[in-house]
């Protein structure tokens, strides 16, 4: 009986670990450190996200998450909701308008 329980537990642990994914984020509208902190906080607070790394200089990031709990669309939506582009998802216009001037993309871009 103990061996059956052990097999069930091991199967569960293996299936859970294969559920973890890491994805790249293109964050082309980030302009300053405040932007990167806002994006990082928005993603980090999502259920299912275990790690967020933002690279302001490269205007990119990496997110590690549990695919059974959250998907990339939800992550991109959370970033767009705070006013920034995420991959091909455009920032929410109302959220973007509320950003500080230093966080807005210069008109020439």
């Amino acid at each position: 009986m103990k061996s059956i329980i052990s097999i069930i537990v091991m199967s569960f642990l293996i299936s859970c670990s294969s559920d973890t994914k890491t994805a790249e984020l293109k964050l082309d509208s980030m302009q300053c450190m405040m932007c990167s902190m806002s994006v990082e906080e928005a993603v980090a607070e999502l259920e299912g996200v275990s790690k967020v790394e933002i690279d302001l200089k490269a205007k990119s990031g990496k997110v590690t998450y549990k695919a059974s709990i959250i998907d990339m669309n939800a992550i991109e939506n959370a970033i767009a909701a705070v006013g920034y582009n995420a991959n091909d998802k455009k920032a929410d216009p109302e959220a973007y308008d509320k950003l500080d001037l230093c966080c807005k993309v210069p008109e020439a871009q």
Side-chain angles (χ1 to χ4, degrees):
M1 185 68 160
K2 285 185 177 182
S3 64
I4 293 174
I5 293 172
S6 296
I7 291 171
I8 292 170
V9 169
M10 289 299 288
S11 297
F12 177 74
L13 292 174
I14 291 170
S15 68
C16 287
S17 65
S18 65
D19 182 43
T20 301
K21 297 187 180 219
T22 300
E24 298 286 329
L25 294 168
K26 184 178 79 172
L27 303 165
D28 60 3
S29 62
M30 285 193 319
Q31 301 299 309
C32 65
M33 183 60 78
M34 194 164 56
C35 297
S36 63
M37 289 172 44
S38 295
V39 170
E40 186 171 355
E41 288 172 7
V43 175
E45 69 185 22
L46 296 172
E47 184 179 356
V49 172
S50 57
K51 186 176 181 182
V52 184
E53 297 174 15
I54 302 297
D55 183 343
L56 176 60
K57 189 174 181 179
K59 295 189 178 195
S60 66
K62 281 186 184 179
V63 60
T64 303
Y65 62 98
K66 290 255 185 214
S68 62
I69 298 173
I70 193 166
D71 62 14
M72 274 305 294
N73 190 49
I75 294 168
E76 292 168 347
N77 285 339
I79 297 168
V82 293
Y84 301 94
N85 297 341
N87 297 331
D88 293 327
K89 176 144 327 251
K90 295 295 181 191
D92 176 89
E94 289 180 25
Y96 180 80
D97 287 343
K98 293 177 184 176
L99 294 176
D100 289 334
L101 188 59
C102 64
C103 296
K104 294 184 178 180
V105 178
E107 294 295 321
Q109 290 186 354

